[in-house]
Amino acid sequence: PLVTLSTMAGRGPKSSAADEIEQKEFDGVVYRIGDAMLGGQRRSLKDLFLPVTVGSLLAASAFSPATRTIIGKGLGAVMVGVSGYFVLHCNIPKLRDAVLAKVMPGTFQDMDKKMKRVKKELLKSLEGRVLDVGAGTGSYIKYSRSLPVAEYVALEPYAYLIPSLKKNAEKSKAEALANKESHPEVTVLNQTLEMLPSDQNGTFDCVIFGNVMCEIKDCPAALAHVRRLLKPGGKLYFIEHVLDDQNPFRSALQHMINPLWRSFSDGCNCNRRSLDSIRTQFPNVMCFTLGTAGIAHLRPFIVGIAKA
């Protein structure tokens, strides 16, 4: 069942998709999720680069030839600098990891603030033994507090994120203790999904995919592995940015820039049809679509649960 709920902003009967919250029932639990639940997100330089560049070029057309020349040289110097860093970023792993170790925690924190209400609502049915694949800096751990979760296994393949992941796991545990909330035992593993031994098959009640399907090289194989890891009736919780099939302009942009974006972002693809991949292994799926989450080429987001 699908119900549109009005938001508490005093709006009249006319509302955009961003003002709506959908209600769906899955496995006996009602979930209410929509764009209206998204919080504010600070603008970063990467978000402003394109509009600032285009705006500068348009503004420059009103200036004298000498001024336009100065502006053009300035923009050219910026592009040379960006291009130079891009070459170094893609070819010197130690430099790339050092930069990402500084940048990614803030990026994860920013997105977590924006998606806080959505994550809390989606993950309210977590239970038992939970596997967080590509845990990043551990932004999902705190949503397991006060839930019947016995163990939380955080799997992260990038070593430069492990310190932040462990720090946030300890922070979540301390906050739970201060608030007299229950908190699961957290196990942090610096490895990939494929590295889990076969004796882990059929031992997890829930698996979380939070923006990982964009980086997984073989999604069908990874999802088949998740099916093996889950107990019968286990659930896959997912929050993923995907190709925008409803917007021809955006989808064309995503296809066009994906090779460059994949190299710059250390493997992230912005043109995946992840929901189709999920449905090949999990025929029973509940899914919401958030059209305003993420930056221009990393939207929409799909948010939902798939049952084994």
Side-chain angles (χ1 to χ4, degrees):
L2 172 60
V3 179
T4 299
L5 305 176
S6 59
T7 58
M8 299 184 296
R11 297 181 177 89
K14 291 184 178 180
S15 61
S16 66
D19 297 326
E20 297 175 351
I21 294 178
E22 292 181 295
Q23 175 176 299
K24 298 182 180 182
E25 182 178 346
F26 187 79
D27 202 31
V29 180
V30 175
Y31 299 86
R32 298 177 178 89
I33 292 176
D35 284 270
M37 299 170 70
L38 298 174
Q41 186 175 17
R42 64 181 171 83
R43 305 288 288 182
S44 64
L45 291 177
K46 66 179 182 295
D47 302 325
L48 298 176
F49 179 74
L50 183 60
V52 167
T53 301
V54 173
S56 299
L57 291 173
L58 292 175
S61 64
F63 297 135
S64 65
T67 302
R68 289 200 296 269
T69 299
I70 294 173
I71 294 175
K73 288 182 178 179
L75 289 174
V78 171
M79 291 302 296
V80 169
V82 171
S83 300
Y85 169 73
F86 177 75
V87 172
L88 295 175
H89 178 92
C90 295
N91 291 281
I92 304 179
K94 287 186 177 180
L95 172 64
R96 180 188 64 229
D97 290 354
V99 171
L100 292 177
K102 295 292 185 181
V103 173
M104 294 310 294
T107 300
F108 281 121
Q109 183 179 26
D110 187 30
M111 181 55 71
D112 184 59
K113 288 180 180 179
K114 186 178 181 70
M115 301 284 284
K116 181 178 180 179
R117 292 176 61 196
V118 172
K119 289 181 178 180
K120 187 173 182 179
E121 177 68 10
L122 178 71
L123 302 174
K124 65 184 180 182
S125 56
L126 285 178
E127 61 181 353
R129 193 164 187 243
V130 176
L131 175 66
D132 186 351
V133 180
T137 57
S139 61
Y140 285 80
I141 295 174
K142 60 178 175 285
Y143 298 102
S144 66
R145 299 204 309 242
S146 296
L147 296 177
V149 176
E151 182 185 7
Y152 193 106
V153 180
L155 203 64
E156 175 50 52
Y158 294 115
Y160 61 80
L161 291 176
I162 295 298
S164 294
L165 173 52
K166 291 182 176 179
K167 179 181 178 180
N168 284 328
E170 289 300 321
K171 180 181 178 182
S172 178
K173 188 174 182 179
E175 290 176 348
L177 182 62
N179 296 324
K180 297 181 179 180
E181 299 173 315
S182 63
H183 196 284
E185 185 68 28
V186 178
T187 302
V188 175
L189 300 176
N190 179 206
Q191 59 188 59
T192 64
L193 180 66
E194 295 76 17
M195 293 169 67
L196 285 176
S198 59
D199 63 6
Q200 295 297 302
N201 290 348
T203 65
F204 290 97
D205 299 277
C206 304
V207 172
I208 300 173
F209 270 15
N211 280 336
V212 295
M213 292 189 69
C214 59
E215 295 187 23
I216 294 174
K217 293 181 180 180
D218 189 342
C219 284
L223 288 164
H225 195 168
V226 168
R227 280 293 301 267
R228 293 193 296 271
L229 290 168
L230 284 169
K231 296 177 182 179
K235 298 172 186 175
L236 168 66
Y237 294 74
F238 58 88
I239 299 179
E240 299 283 344
H241 63 81
V242 294
L243 179 71
D244 192 348
D245 281 319
Q246 302 302 312
N247 186 323
F249 174 78
R250 193 190 309 277
S251 62
L253 172 67
Q254 289 170 318
H255 284 307
M256 180 177 67
I257 71 172
N258 190 63
L260 184 64
W261 174 252
R262 183 174 60 243
S263 297
F264 184 75
S265 62
D266 204 18
C268 173
N269 292 273
C270 59
N271 63 346
R272 290 269 175 94
R273 290 186 172 92
S274 298
L275 185 57
D276 292 344
S277 298
I278 291 172
R279 283 178 169 149
T280 60
Q281 290 292 331
F282 296 85
N284 190 9
V285 178
M286 174 195 71
C287 183
F288 298 88
T289 300
L290 302 178
T292 60
I295 57 179
H297 64 291
L298 299 180
R299 62 173 64 168
F301 269 66
I302 55 169
V303 177
I305 306 173
K307 187 174 180 180

